[in-house]
């Protein structure tokens, strides 16, 4: 019951005044939620970026929620700014000031590609991710997205993501031009699963069920039961049982594919199969994050043609 009341409270809070205020020629932004763990955080180096992605993007905004540990306050707070490099691992904010890093994630090429692929439509990205986090409580020492965690009266990553969505969607003028903006949910982009694949067989074999539950709740937060969901297939840096870093990588990969088979408004990006890794053996190379963002954009645009979200002019 606590979970239901929690979600209802969020839905009540997200009034989205930007969609209710009349304005001459309002700016319409198509909103994408980017969530997950460390490969959504991003370990690409800004210095490796192509010239086209090194400068702020004029028609793409980002609200990057502050990441904190489970049980910690202020998670998810942030502010709308133009998308630029620096929103990778190590990013932080106090909601007034952004602490950009020398790293980037898939958000850069995603924002560029999803706008360009839709004839220059305005894009707004809500990003909230935290490295090492799993879908269920206890699977990782870095925290979880488990909706039932609220029963323990402590915040976790699910709560933080809802805070980011609440604050981001509650703005009436996200680009600061003095006019009300219209925010239209477009898709959920999800890159996560390594924590569940690491060493917990139950978390791995139940991944599709746990993922479905979480995505359904995020869809409810955006008030769209058929909002497109695009997930990134996890990939192990090792090719043999002796060299793998995740004991149950194949089980989670199977669960990810099972999830999309049962959801006509979901798709999976498998470009990760060709990625190479940093020496830590968990995180991708800079070029791979550029490829990943473009692949996410392509799948999101495809799904929007037949599912909910911002598929209208």
């Amino acid at each position: 019951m606590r979970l239901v009341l929690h979600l209802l409270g969020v839905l009540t809070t997200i009034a989205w005044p930007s969609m209710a205020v009349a304005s001459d020629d309002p700016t319409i932004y198509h909103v994408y939620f980017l969530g997950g763990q460390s490969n959504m955080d991003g370990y690409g180096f800004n210095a490796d970026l192509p010239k086209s992605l090194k400068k702020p993007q004029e028609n793409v905004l980002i609200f990057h929620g502050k990441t904190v540990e489970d049980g910690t306050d202020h998670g998810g707070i942030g502010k709308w700014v133009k998308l630029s490099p620096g929103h990778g691992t190590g990013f932080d904010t106090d909601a007034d000031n952004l602490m950009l890093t020398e790293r980037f994630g898939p958000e850069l090429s995603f924002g560029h590609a999803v706008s360009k692929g839709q004839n220059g439509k305005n894009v707004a990205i809500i990003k909230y991710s935290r490295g090492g986090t799993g879908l269920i409580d206890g699977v990782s020492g870095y925290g979880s997205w488990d909706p039932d965690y609220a029963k323990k009266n402590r915040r976790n990553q699910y709560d933080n993501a809802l805070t980011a969505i609440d604050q981001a969607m509650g703005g009436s003028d996200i680009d600061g031009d003095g006019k009300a903006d219209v925010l239209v949910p477009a898709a959920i982009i999800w890159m996560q699963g390594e924590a569940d694949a690491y060493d917990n067989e139950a978390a791995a074999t139940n991944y599709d069920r746990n993922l479905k539950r979480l995505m359904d709740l995020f869809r409810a937060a955006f008030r769209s039961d058929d909002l497109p969901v695009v997930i990134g297939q996890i990939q192990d840096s090792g090719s043999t049982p002796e060299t793998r870093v995740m004991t149950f990588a194949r089980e989670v990969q199977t669960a990810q594919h099972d999830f999309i088979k049962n959801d006509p408004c979901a798709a999976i990006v498998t470009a990760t199969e060709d990625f190479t890794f940093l020496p830590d053996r968990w995180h991708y190379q800079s070029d791979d994050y550029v490829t990943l963002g473009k692949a996410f954009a392509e799948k999101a645009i495809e799904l929007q043609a037949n599912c909910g979200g911002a598929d209208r002019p």
Side-chain angles (χ1 to χ4, degrees), residues 70-92:
D70 286 6
T72 304
D73 294 331
H74 307 302
I77 64 173
K79 62 185 293 187
W80 284 109
V81 295
K82 290 182 180 178
L83 178 61
S84 65
H87 288 272
T89 183
F91 170 87
D92 199 5

Side-chain angles (χ1 to χ4, degrees), residues 90-157:
F91 170 87
D92 199 5
T93 180
D94 60 8
D96 291 321
N97 302 292
L98 305 184
M99 280 130 292
L100 299 175
T101 75
E102 296 303 314
R103 303 289 189 101
F104 72 92
E107 69 285 338
L108 274 179
S109 56
F110 174 82
H112 183 270
V114 81
S115 176
K116 183 178 180 181
Q118 299 179 99
N119 300 316
K121 288 182 178 179
N122 297 307
V123 172
I125 294 171
I126 302 172
K127 180 174 179 177
Y128 184 82
S129 54
R130 182 169 178 81
T133 50
L135 292 191
I136 58 175
D137 185 31
V139 75
S140 164
Y142 295 93
S144 84
W145 298 78
D146 192 341
D148 287 332
Y149 197 68
K151 294 179 180 177
K152 299 182 179 181
N153 297 311
R154 295 179 65 196
R155 290 178 59 87
N156 73 347
Q157 305 311 307

Side-chain angles (χ1 to χ4, degrees), residues 120-232:
K121 288 182 178 179
N122 297 307
V123 172
I125 294 171
I126 302 172
K127 180 174 179 177
Y128 184 82
S129 54
R130 182 169 178 81
T133 50
L135 292 191
I136 58 175
D137 185 31
V139 75
S140 164
Y142 295 93
S144 84
W145 298 78
D146 192 341
D148 287 332
Y149 197 68
K151 294 179 180 177
K152 299 182 179 181
N153 297 311
R154 295 179 65 196
R155 290 178 59 87
N156 73 347
Q157 305 311 307
Y158 170 66
D159 299 294
N160 296 336
L162 292 182
T163 294
I165 293 170
D166 183 1
Q167 288 195 2
M169 297 298 291
S172 60
D173 178 16
I174 68 171
D175 54 19
D177 66 355
K179 299 188 300 182
D181 303 313
V182 175
L183 307 185
V184 182
I188 296 167
I189 314 297
W190 188 253
M191 186 68 231
Q192 186 274 339
E194 294 92 343
D196 300 77
Y198 179 55
D199 64 355
N200 189 310
E201 185 174 10
T205 55
N206 291 301
Y207 187 84
D208 58 333
R209 182 182 66 183
N210 295 330
L211 180 62
K212 180 183 185 306
R213 184 186 186 199
L214 185 63
M215 294 302 104
D216 284 348
L217 288 171
F218 282 144
R219 281 168 162 164
F222 282 108
R223 302 175 183 173
S224 177
D225 292 340
D226 62 347
L227 190 67
V229 172
V230 182
I231 63 173

